[in-house]
Amino acid sequence: MGKFTRLDVSFASDRGLRSGRLHRPDSPHPVPCVVMCAGFGSTMDRLFPWAEAYAGAGLAALVFDYGSFGRSEGEPRQIVDLDRQRADIKAAVAWARAAEGIAAGRIVLWGNSLGGAHAVTVAADDPQIAAVVAQIPFNGFPRRVEGRSTAQTLRLLAAIVGDALRGRLGLSARYIPLVAAPGELAITNAAEAEDHINALSGGDTGWRNLVAPRGILQMMRYHPAPAAARLTVPLLVCLATDDAETPVELGRRLADRAPRGTLKLYPGTHFSFYTDARTRQAVAADQIAFLHDVLAPAEQEHRHPGHA
């Protein structure tokens, strides 16, 4: 693994400053930069292992907190707002393009879960993005969530609608856990919930297992597949074969719709990408190989302008 430096940064976005961290390889030349977009209710420290893998392979990686999460400004806290998150991503891309030591024409959008949907959607409207990586990406909710009864689903829907109404009335958010064991009220239920919470907790940017559920209403109308069809750059979609949260049959539609889409499948669940080091290493290796391949022509042109 090559050497790299870590630099805490901030940039302006909708309604305040966003905090981030740039991982930049030690290189005398401008390097490509992977702008990394976190998932629902997540913070940038959850992406540090991915950013470090990229930086060690010669690609800069910028991670950041969405507004109202982690170290970023924004009130009330722990609110998922899709429009504002996409605005944050655009602001992060603009910052990366202007940063010293970054090749402005070789910016990659990378997203995990909900962030994967955002990466595809934002890139579809930005012709200067060089490539997209969507990891266990959101592409609509499954008709039925495995392990969740009708009664549990109705209870969650009541919490979502109730919190949304409180937001419209200007009242404080009514938070619920982001992840919990099966049968408990939460955005996501998983048998490995405790392992997942332990893996996410303790970071230095303050991840909390609480979120305002009102954001789910926006996600019910959010389908990035049409945006994938408009992508003109290479797209890599990485999916888990036993993922109940972002199932293969939904995620693969992004690769199928994209004119230059590639799909890779890995054993495990949605949470394997967070908690299983071997899965993370295998996925990161494939992603890095993909980006080195698609960025190589631009790299050669950058180093040898004007040559055939």
Side-chain angles (χ1 to χ4, degrees):
M1 177 177 286
K3 294 182 178 181
F4 59 90
T5 57
R6 302 175 181 87
L7 176 67
D8 288 337
V9 304
S10 63
F11 53 88
S13 186
D14 182 41
R15 302 191 183 185
L17 291 176
R18 303 293 175 258
S19 293
R21 181 171 294 177
L22 178 67
H23 301 69
R24 189 189 181 280
D26 295 342
S27 171
H29 306 289
V31 295
C33 183
V34 182
V35 176
M36 312 193 91
C37 312
F40 189 97
S42 192
T43 49
M44 64 175 167
D45 52 327
R46 303 306 96 204
L47 302 183
F48 286 168
W50 297 95
E52 291 168 358
Y54 273 87
L59 301 166
L62 173 65
V63 295
F64 65 95
D65 285 330
Y66 297 121
S68 89
F69 285 92
R71 293 180 178 174
S72 288
E73 296 179 348
E75 296 289 343
R77 304 300 293 173
Q78 306 293 113
I79 302 290
V80 175
D81 185 297
L82 303 192
D83 289 339
R84 291 179 185 169
Q85 289 191 346
R86 289 190 293 263
D88 290 347
I89 294 169
K90 293 174 186 178
V93 169
W95 184 91
R97 284 179 173 143
E100 183 178 358
I102 299 300
R106 290 179 289 160
I107 303 295
V108 174
L109 274 180
W110 180 104
N112 184 77
S113 196
L114 176 59
H118 289 338
V120 169
T121 303
V122 172
D125 294 323
D126 186 344
Q128 296 182 37
I129 294 295
V132 181
V133 176
Q135 176 172 287
I136 48 173
F138 175 80
N139 184 34
F141 290 110
R143 290 186 178 180
R144 187 178 185 278
V145 178
E146 183 179 345
R148 179 178 287 165
S149 68
T150 301
Q152 291 166 351
T153 299
L154 291 174
R155 186 181 174 205
L156 176 58
L157 286 173
I160 293 168
V161 173
D163 181 58
L165 289 173
R166 291 179 67 85
R168 288 183 176 274
L169 294 172
L171 301 175
S172 60
R174 183 157 288 169
Y175 300 103
I176 66 173
L178 178 62
V179 57
E184 298 180 13
L185 177 63
I187 297 296
T188 299
N189 298 100
E192 62 268 47
E194 185 175 352
D195 291 339
H196 185 60
I197 292 169
N198 290 336
L200 292 175
S201 300
D204 66 357
T205 59
W207 179 81
R208 299 172 60 200
N209 191 28
L210 286 175
V211 67
R214 67 189 67 171
I216 297 295
L217 284 182
Q218 295 181 9
M219 291 177 65
M220 289 177 178
R221 303 185 298 273
Y222 192 25
H223 300 280
R230 295 189 289 110
L231 281 177
T232 60
V233 298
L235 166 67
L236 174 64
V237 177
C238 300
L239 302 175
T241 55
D242 297 316
D243 193 333
E245 280 66 42
T246 54
V248 169
E249 62 266 25
L250 295 178
R252 74 184 312 142
R253 294 175 189 173
L254 298 177
D256 291 343
R257 295 287 299 275
R260 302 171 67 184
T262 299
L263 174 67
K264 284 189 173 291
L265 299 176
Y266 302 87
T269 69
H270 193 81
F271 299 100
S272 299
F273 282 65
Y274 297 90
T275 59
D276 190 318
R278 289 199 298 179
T279 297
R280 185 172 62 242
Q281 290 166 2
V283 177
D286 286 345
Q287 293 174 358
I288 289 166
F290 167 80
L291 290 181
H292 279 158
D293 182 54
V294 300
L295 294 172
E299 172 74 15
Q300 295 168 2
E301 178 65 22
H302 175 76
R303 296 289 181 86
H304 306 287
H307 291 268

